[in-house]
Each structure stands twice: as C-alpha cells, then as structure tokens.
Amino acid sequence: MATRNRTVEFRKHRDAVKSVRAPLSSSASASSTGPVIEMVSLLPSNRSSYAPLSTEDPSTSRDAFTVGLPPSWVDDSEEIATAIQRARVKISELTKAHSKALMPSFGDDKEDQRLIETLTQEITSLLRKSEVRLKRLSAASGSSEDSNVRKNVQRSLATDLQNLSMDLRRKQSAYLKRLQQQKEGYDGVDLEMNFNGSKFGSHDDEFSDVGFSEEQMTKLKKSEQFSVEREREIEQVVKSVHELAQIMKDLSVLVIDQGTIVDRIDYNIQSVSTSVEDGLEQLQKAERTQKKGGMIMCATSLVIMCFIMLVLLILKEILL
Amino acid sequence: MVVTSSARDYINRILQDISGMKVLILDSQTVGVVSVVYSQSELLQKEVFLVELVDSISKSSESMSHLKAIYFLRPTSENIQFLRRQLASPRFGEYHLFFSNILKDTQIHILADSDEQEVVQQVQEFYADFVAIDPYHFTFHVPSHYIYMLPAVVDPSTVQRFCDRVVDGLAAVFLALKRRPVIRYQRTSDIAKRIAQEASKLMYQEESGLFDFRRMEVSPLLLVIDRRDDPVTPLLNQWTYQAMVHELIGIEDNKVDLKSIGKFPNDQEEVVLSSEQDPFFKVNMYENFGDIGMNIKRMVDEFQQVSKSNQNIQTIEDMAKFVDNYPEYRKMHGNVTKHVTLVTEMSKIVDERKLMSVSQTEQELACNGGQGAAFEAVTNLLNNESVSDLDRLRLVMLYALRYEKDSPVQLMQLFNKLASRSAKYKPGLVQFLLKQAGVDKRMGDLFGNRDLMNIARNMARGLKGVENVYTQHQPLLFQIMESIVKGRLRDVDYPFVGNHYQQGRPQDVIIFIVGGTTYEESRSVALQNANNTGIRFILGGSSVLNSKRFLRDLEEAQRVARSSTTVV
C-alpha cells in the first residue's frame, strides 16, 4: 500500500504563485492610477503593499467562509450526538449498578434498586428524546444536496441509536433473567429454610409446643416482602423493554440494511441523480401545462372576441 | 496480498484522518472502485454524509462550508478542470485531494494556481485505481473496449488511451501491493507487447523511484496475455453460480440488474452479489447449478425454522429474543429472497433457451474430438426453433474455431444455414472472429490437440469419464497457470521485457488479460489458489466478459474495421 504525499510540492508552488501574484496585483493597481507615474510608483508601492496584502488576503477569505454559518440542523444533530454519548455513559453506569445489585448483599439494597430505576428511566427518556429530535431532522426544507446530507446524518445517528438501544435491551434482559433466577433461588432457599425450620420445629415439638418461632416469622415476612419487591422490579424492567422495542421499531425504518442494494454507494448516487432528473422532468411538465393553459385561454378569448366583433359588424351592416 | 483488502485499506486511510462532517466526491471510474469494497453504512460511520460525482457537484453553487470535501479522482485532465473551477469559487470549508494514480507535475501546478483562497489542505496519491470485484480478481472498465482487436494504425489515439488506462491501472495494482514485477507477455499479440513494454518503461524508468521498494524477495511476475488466444471461454454457457449469473443476467461491479428480465418488487430490482458481504454467496459462488439448488433448499429450510420460532411469541422473553434477532432475521430474509429469485429466473431462462442441450454440444465442441457427430449436433440445434439466435451464432463460432482447417465445406454449410436462420447477426461475424482468433493467430494449445502430451492427456481424460458434462471445459488460463507452477512457461512464447529476468520461482503472479476476463477464469484462479502450491495468482482484465459483451466487442471492431477500410 504505497502512497505518495504531494502536498509539499503543491504548497511550494502555491506559495510561489502567491508571491508572484501579490506584486503583480499591486503593480496592476498602480498602473491603473496612471500610466505616467507607473515607473516611479512601482518600486515603493511594491514593498509597502506586499506585506499587508499577503497577510490580509487569506484572513479575509477565511472570514468570508466562517460567516456562512452552518444550517440549524447541524446543531440538532450535534445535540443528538451528545445525548447519545451521555446515554452511553449512563449505560455503562447501569451495567455497574446491575452487577452490584445482583451481588448477594446483607445490607439494604434499596439504594441500588432506586439507582437502577432512575438510571433506566433517564436512559430511556434520553433515547426517546433523541428519537423525536431525529425525526425532526428531516423535516426542515432545503436544497436537494442539503436534504441528502440531512438524510444521511439521520441514518447514521439512527444506526447509533439503534445499536445503543439494542445494547441496553440486551443488558436489561440479561439482568432480568438473572433476577428471576435469583428469585427462584431465593424461593428455594426459603423453602429449604422453612423445611429446616419445620424440621427444627418438629424437633422442638417434643420439648415446646410453639408453631413458628418469632425469628422464623420475621424471616418469612421479610422474604415475602422481598419477593414482592422483586416482582415490581421485574415489571418495571419489562415495561422498559417494551418501550425500547417501540423505539427500535420506529428506528428500523431509517437504518440501512447491510449488504443490500441500498447499502451500495453507486446505487445511492444513481438514485439521487434519477430522482433529481425526475423532479426536473415534473417541473418542466408542470411548466408546459401551465403555459399551455394560458395560451389556450388567450386563444379562445381571442376567438370569442373575433366572433363578437363579427356579429357586431354584421349587425352594424344590417342596421345601417 | 488480496486486492479487495488493499483497496479497502486505501479508502479507510483516506477517511479516517479527517474528522468532522465530510463530503466524498468521486468520478465515474472511482465510484466503481469505492463501491465494490465499501458500503454506504460504513461511509456513514466515518461521518461521510454526502457522496457526489465530480461533475454534478460543480453544478450547484450553494455554500456548504460546514462540510469538508474529500476528492478521490483519477488524475485525468477533465477532473483537473472540474477541480480548478471548483477551487476558484470554493463551496466547502476544506479540500482534501486524493488521486488514484500518479499526478503529473503540470497538474499540480494547475491546481496550485487556482487555489487562491488556500482551501486545499492536502494533495495525495492513493493508488486504488482498480475495481477489486473479488479477492483475486480485478478489472479496469476501460472505455471503447473493442479497440484491442484492431491494429494500432486504425485509430491510434483510441488505442493509446486504451493502453494508457491499462498501464496506469497495472501500475496502481503493483503500487498497492508495494512490489515491482518482472514483466512477460504473449509473443503473438501486438497489444499485449505494447502494454508490457509501456508498463516496464513506467516502472523501471519514468517512475523508478516510486517503484523502488528495496525488497530482497523474489519479484512477482506480471504476465500480459491476449483474449484472442482463448476465444472459446467467453463463448461458452456457464454452469457455476457466479459465472452463470453473469452469462444469463449480467453482473456489473458485483451488482445484478434484474429489471431487464422481468418485473420484480422494488427492493429486488437490483441485488448485490458480493463474496465479501454475502456469506452464502462466498461459499457457493463456484459451485455448479445443481448443487446451488440443493444448498438454497437447505437455506430456505433453515430460514423456515427461524421464522417459525419467531411466530410463536408468548412470553416476554420470546419477545425480547425476537427483537434481538430481528435485524439478523431481516437480513436473512433478504438474502434468501435474493438467491431464490436469481436461481428461479436462471432456471426459467435455461428451460426457455434449451440451454441444457445447447451447452452439452458446446462442451463437446470445446473439449472432445469427433467432427462428424459435432456437425450433426450443431445442424440439429440450428434447426431447432426454440434455440435462440445468440446460441446458434455461438455454436457456429465454436465449430468454426475448432474445425477451421478440417472441413471448409461443412463450415460453409453451417454459415449458410446460420444466415438463413437468424438474420439478426451481421454476416461475416464468424469469419471476422476467425480472422481475429483463428488457428493461425493463436499460440496456446487451446483444444489440446497440438502436441502429443496434450493429446494423450485428453484421451486419458476421455477414458476416465467426466464428472459433469456441463463443466468439463478448462480455460486455457488453467494450462498457463500449471506451466507457471511447474516453471515450464516457455521464454520463446512468453518473452521477458527488457533485461529483468525472473530469479527463482515467483510467489505472486498477476495475469492480465487484454480484452477482458471471464468468471470461469476467475473461478479457475480461485481454485488454483486454494490448492496452496506456494504461488498466488491474481487475475485482472480490461473488463469482465460474458458472451454478449464479447460478441458486442467483436461486432463493434468489425464495424470500425470495415469503415476504416472503405475510407482508405
């Protein structure tokens, strides 16, 4: 993979041309002031005008460029991009929180739950907002090239967004699965505990006639409470999966399927040019029909006028 | 050393260093170069949000200074003129100019002169000047392609342009591979000789600094041969997947246009057949038609299973799984539909044109002896109403190439019959083919009947029997590759250019066919490479032929030759 950089050569020549051009233009301006003083003014003006010109020229042209602000959709697209970035960061946080929540802990893990909930909600709302904004991107009007650019920006952002939401969903379903497994596990443990307890109970039975001990009751209550909470969590996760599926469905319209004809560069160029041609043709047709309509109106009115005049003429002949 | 990946790397390198929103501007040739190795979605990933042709970008003058323009063009004078005008009143914020071949100093000067506002950031040469359709197969899409059949005096400027394009392309291939080859050519072909000599001049004299890679290994070999040494291969019907699609429908830069053969839903009008992007095609592109049918059936079964499992969604988990797999599912769906459509259409054509019996006779003509039987078979097919004009013409051509000297009388009979049967083809086309590629012009042993070794081998094969009647033909290229592997390619027939001789066995061989390659030959090269003989072959051509294109070139050449003789 050899390459050759010709920039240096190009720059050298460009600078050479510029240094030639600068005195040339100054001499041209000098000559325009008058042919008489040309000889005299050439030398001093050359030196005096050279420096400012060479520094000023590119800067003014640069300015002229930056004055043309990019269209407003560029801001939109940047906002979406930052939102995606933020969502990405949040997702990594969420992964951490997930793994933390799944770890067996003795303390109260409500804190974790709350964190996961808020994170999930934030991410989903971020994604949803970006999606809405993404749709707006194509709504603005502009030239065909500009709208093409917009469409492509939209596509690329949509792909990003879709990947992100897929990622999130995969993580969530993994979490969900683990959670359910754990729940079953807890139930198993509970059962075992109860079993043990009852065994203990039967064992104790001989000595004292107490059904469940105080301790066991509290345990049972706790585990019940625990499972209710888990249930709620699962429901929540399921809900957000639903939401994501919706987003995904909306986005799939925008995303390009890889390996298909739509994914071909030359096909896209051709389809753009044909659609432009089609537009032109339609326009010409419209123009033609419009013209034709006007012409026909004109002609018919003229014919009618002629007829009326003829009648008037005949009437005049008859009456006089 | 694979041509697709080196072209891809070039495009990657062009795009990755420039940050921000970009416009990619191509010309009619580089569009093909980029399209076969890069996809729209990959471009989007690199923040390229607009792709335009160089002539249409200069039509509009709306300022888009928030975009950076990346030009990737061939260094032709038209492109330089387009650029010059664009630089005089720039529309974009920055200009990054990449050229696919060697720039002339004067061209750099013209560009530098017009860049008054200093918007150009860099000027580079990235040598991706070939259309890499398969890992071991590239093409150049040379315009006015028929010209290689005519002697240079007929139209010197067109011949010159043809040679320049080919030499430029070959230079780019070797620059991309970072090697300087030793060059051999087919002695009997003037155009092959000319191309070989011009390439050698460029690589060893004019740009010797650029081609000096200081490698100690054995130089690769560039072998330039002429299509007319093997006129049989492009005339045969094909039965392996890729070759068959090209023969019956037509492949253009890995794209198949189905609009010409019937009505299809919108997303199936044009389909992509690329070994890089389509795993099913990659596995099956060299398989024969019968096996393809079975493999497609297997794929459809698999797909049915997947779609069945997608149908019963009851639990949330099922749903989550479905949504997860949905893109994959859609992709699979598209792929299955594509291949099924292609194969159904092709089998329709096969039935319509009675290609089974036609092809059997073709293969007999190309591979086995037996003139009497062949004559009878050809006559029968000429009389058959359902055989198309195209197939009739091809049969007569094959017969003529094979039995040119043996039986002029029977040949005349066939000519007359053909003329009375199908008036569509101009008379004299077969004779023109014989004049171009007749037995006196050919050098290689096309039908394996010149020396005793080959005759013996043919007889042995006849005794052994063939696996498949329809795919028994081996292109002449196969023999050439075999003799290269064995180191038996004769210096007399394929002389070296200049005094750069081969030391030892080459590891990489690039065979360039002036006048176009066929997919049958591409298959032969791929199979040869799969054998691991220690030599890797890459096939290149000025275009990719099927029989229609070959006949069109022939007709065009005949027309030009005729008009030039009448003028003289």
Side-chain angles (χ1 to χ4, degrees):
Chain A
M1 262 201 23
T3 63
R4 182 158 61 166
N5 197 339
R6 307 294 289 264
T7 317
V8 180
E9 227 177 309
F10 179 84
R11 287 240 168 88
K12 213 158 125 200
H13 193 81
R14 187 167 70 185
D15 293 344
V17 167
K18 202 172 64 188
S19 62
V20 171
R21 196 177 283 142
L24 216 70
S25 65
S26 73
S27 78
S29 68
S31 72
S32 70
T33 55
V36 193
I37 48 164
E38 187 187 47
M39 297 297 271
V40 196
S41 68
L42 194 70
L43 269 172
S45 78
N46 199 349
R47 189 161 296 171
S48 63
S49 67
Y50 174 70
L53 249 178
S54 64
T55 51
E56 231 170 58
D57 201 275
S59 69
T60 48
S61 66
R62 228 7 92 66
D63 277 350
F65 266 140
T66 42
V67 163
L69 273 172
S72 57
W73 60 260
V74 175
D75 297 337
D76 275 342
S77 76
E78 268 162 21
E79 270 171 40
I80 297 170
T82 47
I84 289 174
Q85 201 52 46
R86 260 174 57 207
R88 201 165 278 148
V89 173
K90 288 249 159 73
I91 285 183
S92 65
E93 274 175 37
L94 184 71
T95 338
K96 265 183 221 147
H98 273 168
S99 55
K100 202 175 159 204
L102 284 171
M103 269 201 286
S105 62
F106 299 104
D108 188 27
D109 53 10
K110 258 200 187 126
E111 200 86 327
D112 287 343
Q113 298 307 334
R114 202 155 298 138
L115 186 67
I116 288 177
E117 256 170 52
T118 49
L119 269 176
T120 320
Q121 265 166 15
E122 270 176 63
I123 293 169
T124 337
S125 77
L126 263 177
L127 291 182
R128 177 125 20 87
K129 243 187 245 160
S130 320
E131 191 216 337
V132 170
R133 209 174 275 161
L134 197 65
K135 279 204 180 128
R136 239 184 13 221
L137 210 58
S138 59
S141 64
S143 70
S144 67
E145 266 171 13
D146 191 51
S147 74
N148 262 322
V149 175
R150 258 190 341 251
K151 207 169 74 196
N152 280 325
V153 171
Q154 198 182 20
R155 272 179 180 168
S156 121
L157 287 173
T159 316
D160 273 358
L161 215 57
Q162 198 187 35
N163 286 341
L164 210 62
S165 65
M166 288 249 281
D167 193 30
L168 178 62
R169 204 176 33 253
R170 209 163 286 143
K171 280 198 173 118
Q172 270 182 327
S173 54
Y175 175 63
L176 193 73
K177 217 187 231 162
R178 292 274 297 279
L179 212 60
Q180 261 165 351
Q181 266 169 12
Q182 244 177 32
K183 192 179 148 208
E184 277 160 24
Y186 270 119
D187 285 350
V189 169
D190 282 350
L191 256 175
E192 210 176 345
M193 217 150 51
N194 285 344
F195 188 60
N196 275 350
S198 60
K199 215 160 114 191
F200 264 113
S202 66
H203 189 71
D204 280 359
D205 225 18
E206 288 169 30
F207 302 100
S208 60
D209 216 336
V210 211
F212 284 122
S213 71
E214 193 88 338
E215 203 188 354
Q216 282 168 341
M217 280 306 278
T218 50
K219 252 185 196 163
L220 200 67
K221 248 185 204 159
K222 223 180 202 171
S223 72
E224 227 163 54
Q225 199 187 345
F226 197 71
S227 63
V228 166
E229 208 156 280
R230 288 270 145 140
E231 199 86 28
R232 201 175 56 84
E233 267 169 42
I234 288 169
E235 244 165 50
Q236 206 137 38
V237 172
V238 164
K239 214 174 88 189
S240 78
V241 165
H242 261 293
E243 265 172 21
L244 282 175
Q246 188 58 39
I247 292 180
M248 169 101 174
K249 215 175 84 190
D250 294 345
L251 283 180
S252 70
V253 185
L254 294 172
V255 175
I256 305 179
D257 289 330
Q258 268 166 31
T260 57
I261 190 76
V262 193
D263 204 16
R264 283 280 295 210
I265 296 163
D266 46 3
Y267 175 81
N268 278 298
I269 293 184
Q270 278 162 17
S271 69
V272 164
S273 65
T274 49
S275 68
V276 167
E277 269 163 33
D278 278 357
L280 193 69
E281 204 173 281
Q282 294 290 334
L283 212 66
Q284 278 167 344
K285 212 194 259 171
E287 202 185 343
R288 234 176 291 138
T289 49
Q290 215 167 29
K291 237 186 215 164
K292 219 197 282 173
M295 215 105 98
I296 284 174
M297 276 278 268
C298 209
T300 41
S301 65
L302 277 176
V303 166
I304 291 167
M305 290 285 271
C306 280
F307 192 69
I308 292 171
M309 289 302 171
L310 198 71
V311 170
L312 283 179
L313 201 70
I314 292 166
L315 280 178
K316 194 180 152 201
E317 287 291 314
I318 292 168
L319 288 179
L320 286 179
Chain B
M1 191 179 92
V2 174
V3 278
T4 39
S5 62
S6 52
R8 239 186 101 77
D9 287 347
Y10 271 129
I11 313 295
N12 259 333
R13 273 181 56 185
I14 289 177
L15 298 177
Q16 74 189 9
D17 291 336
I18 302 160
S19 65
M21 288 200 226
K22 296 181 275 279
V23 190
L24 182 63
I25 295 151
L26 305 166
D27 65 24
S28 53
Q29 296 256 324
T30 51
V31 163
V33 173
V34 177
S35 300
V36 289
V37 293
Y38 230 74
S39 70
Q40 183 83 10
S41 48
E42 284 169 318
L43 278 187
L44 289 182
Q45 269 170 24
K46 302 263 186 214
E47 292 185 280
V48 175
F49 294 129
L50 187 65
V51 186
E52 280 277 1
L53 288 175
V54 69
D55 45 344
S56 61
I57 201 83
S58 48
K59 274 180 197 148
S60 157
S61 59
E62 175 196 0
S63 170
M64 295 178 122
S65 50
H66 51 288
L67 299 172
K68 292 173 183 167
I70 299 176
Y71 278 77
F72 181 59
L73 308 171
R74 297 201 70 240
T76 60
S77 49
E78 299 104 67
N79 285 339
I80 297 289
Q81 288 309 318
F82 277 125
L83 258 177
R84 203 174 59 89
R85 256 172 269 148
Q86 179 63 228
L87 289 179
S89 53
R91 293 177 60 190
F92 302 103
E94 285 178 11
Y95 283 76
H96 302 262
L97 309 183
F98 295 87
F99 290 92
S100 67
N101 221 312
I102 299 162
L103 273 169
K104 292 191 198 78
D105 286 340
T106 48
Q107 290 173 324
I108 294 184
H109 293 172
I110 291 173
L111 290 177
D113 280 346
S114 53
D115 184 24
E116 284 178 38
Q117 314 206 14
E118 301 196 4
V119 283
V120 176
Q121 305 291 318
Q122 52 178 332
V123 181
Q124 303 246 31
E125 288 169 7
F126 273 51
Y127 307 102
D129 205 6
F130 45 90
V131 182
I133 36 185
D134 283 315
Y136 301 111
H137 189 190
F138 65 89
T139 176
F140 293 147
H141 292 314
V142 188
S144 45
H145 188 249
Y146 61 90
I147 202 77
Y148 76 96
M149 296 192 196
L150 300 171
V153 284
V154 175
D155 189 352
S157 64
T158 315
V159 173
Q160 186 59 46
R161 247 178 289 143
F162 180 89
C163 287
D164 285 348
R165 175 70 189 96
V166 170
V167 170
D168 283 353
L170 286 174
V173 169
F174 282 99
L175 284 169
L177 303 173
K178 276 198 160 179
R179 308 297 288 278
R180 175 156 56 185
V182 294
I183 305 172
R184 301 176 78 166
Y185 61 93
Q186 181 191 320
R187 181 177 48 83
T188 48
S189 164
D190 289 336
I191 187 100
K193 183 177 175 186
R194 183 167 169 182
I195 285 171
Q197 281 173 343
E198 283 184 20
S200 161
K201 201 171 132 208
L202 181 76
M203 293 177 192
Y204 287 95
Q205 289 165 26
E206 287 165 9
E207 294 286 348
S208 65
L210 190 60
F211 279 90
D212 190 10
F213 296 113
R214 294 175 206 283
R215 294 262 193 112
M216 300 312 285
E217 307 146 37
V218 189
S219 311
L221 170 67
L222 167 65
L223 177 65
V224 185
I225 54 178
D226 194 308
R227 174 80 270 163
R228 286 170 292 175
D229 213 29
D230 177 9
V232 167
T233 311
L235 286 173
L236 291 174
N237 266 306
Q238 300 295 331
W239 296 94
T240 55
Y241 197 22
Q242 190 184 29
M244 197 175 174
V245 172
H246 188 49
E247 177 63 38
L248 299 181
I249 306 172
I251 302 178
E252 185 79 41
D253 285 347
N254 293 344
K255 251 178 352 185
V256 184
D257 190 353
L258 290 167
K259 270 177 284 191
S260 55
I261 57 164
K263 264 214 129 0
F264 296 95
N266 248 344
D267 58 329
Q268 294 290 331
E269 268 183 355
E270 264 188 288
V271 294
V272 182
L273 269 189
S274 156
S275 57
E276 300 278 296
Q277 288 167 354
D278 183 344
F280 179 81
F281 185 64
K282 188 179 180 156
V283 174
N284 290 296
M285 59 199 279
Y286 302 131
E287 296 291 327
N288 67 47
F289 194 50
D291 295 341
I292 293 293
M294 299 219 306
N295 290 350
I296 282 192
K297 194 184 170 299
R298 205 171 304 136
M299 183 166 74
V300 170
D301 286 345
E302 263 170 46
F303 177 69
Q304 267 176 341
Q305 223 130 51
V306 172
S307 62
K308 212 174 272 168
S309 77
N310 278 339
Q311 264 165 14
N312 48 21
I313 295 170
Q314 267 147 16
T315 61
I316 290 294
E317 246 170 272
D318 282 350
M319 199 175 91
K321 214 189 281 166
F322 170 74
V323 178
D324 266 355
N325 298 333
Y326 185 66
E328 195 74 7
Y329 171 77
R330 234 169 69 152
K331 203 171 156 186
M332 198 171 168
H333 177 249
N335 219 10
V336 169
T337 329
K338 174 173 87 185
H339 289 295
V340 170
T341 319
L342 279 177
V343 170
T344 354
E345 286 309 314
M346 287 199 299
S347 63
K348 249 189 234 163
I349 296 175
V350 167
D351 280 350
E352 233 166 65
R353 284 168 45 183
K354 298 270 176 291
L355 287 186
M356 292 290 215
S357 53
V358 171
S359 178
Q360 199 172 350
T361 314
E362 283 177 2
Q363 296 280 339
E364 284 292 312
L365 281 171
C367 306
N368 302 325
Q371 189 194 341
F375 178 73
E376 205 169 302
V378 173
T379 323
N380 279 340
L381 286 169
L382 283 184
N383 285 330
N384 193 334
E385 284 303 323
S386 48
V387 173
S388 71
D389 287 352
L390 178 72
D391 293 322
R392 284 193 186 126
L393 177 70
R394 285 196 305 196
L395 281 167
V396 175
M397 280 183 166
L398 286 170
Y399 186 87
L401 286 171
R402 175 94 212 216
Y403 302 113
E404 186 185 353
K405 296 281 174 214
D406 297 336
S407 59
V409 182
Q410 286 182 327
L411 203 55
M412 276 317 284
Q413 282 175 355
L414 286 181
F415 285 165
N416 291 335
K417 196 159 218 106
L418 180 73
S420 66
R421 276 278 161 190
S422 37
K424 196 176 137 205
Y425 287 98
K426 295 178 197 85
L429 197 60
V430 188
Q431 284 90 332
F432 184 72
L433 175 71
L434 287 181
K435 217 163 85 191
Q436 284 291 326
V439 95
D440 306 327
K441 299 271 178 178
R442 292 197 304 263
M443 188 179 72
D445 192 4
L446 184 57
F447 294 108
N449 52 6
R450 285 202 192 165
D451 64 27
L452 274 173
M453 271 284 286
N454 280 335
I455 293 174
R457 201 193 298 157
N458 258 359
M459 275 172 70
R461 200 176 59 180
L463 289 176
K464 232 181 355 187
V466 280
E467 284 177 26
N468 190 333
V469 201
Y470 300 110
T471 52
Q472 52 182 319
H473 175 252
Q474 290 276 16
L476 182 68
L477 187 75
F478 181 74
Q479 287 176 32
I480 294 177
M481 285 194 294
E482 261 189 350
S483 31
I484 291 175
V485 170
K486 290 178 185 153
R488 275 208 222 119
L489 199 66
R490 296 219 316 239
D491 289 3
V492 190
D493 293 340
Y494 299 95
F496 289 93
V497 180
N499 49 0
H500 310 280
Y501 295 107
Q502 193 91 50
Q503 275 117 16
R505 220 169 64 140
Q507 284 166 348
D508 296 299
V509 177
I510 293 188
I511 301 178
F512 186 82
I513 305 182
V514 185
T517 53
T518 62
Y519 280 114
E520 187 186 345
E521 282 154 341
S522 155
R523 171 173 181 265
S524 184
V525 166
L527 296 184
Q528 177 73 32
N529 285 334
N531 278 345
N532 263 335
T533 48
I535 299 187
R536 206 154 17 168
F537 290 94
I538 293 180
L539 179 68
S542 42
S543 74
V544 186
L545 296 175
N546 54 15
S547 59
K548 272 188 211 125
R549 245 177 249 184
F550 183 61
L551 290 175
R552 204 177 57 207
D553 282 349
L554 212 58
E555 266 175 49
E556 196 75 356
Q558 189 196 18
R559 193 179 55 78
V560 174
R562 246 191 218 157
S563 66
S564 75
T565 50
T566 51
V567 166
V568 171

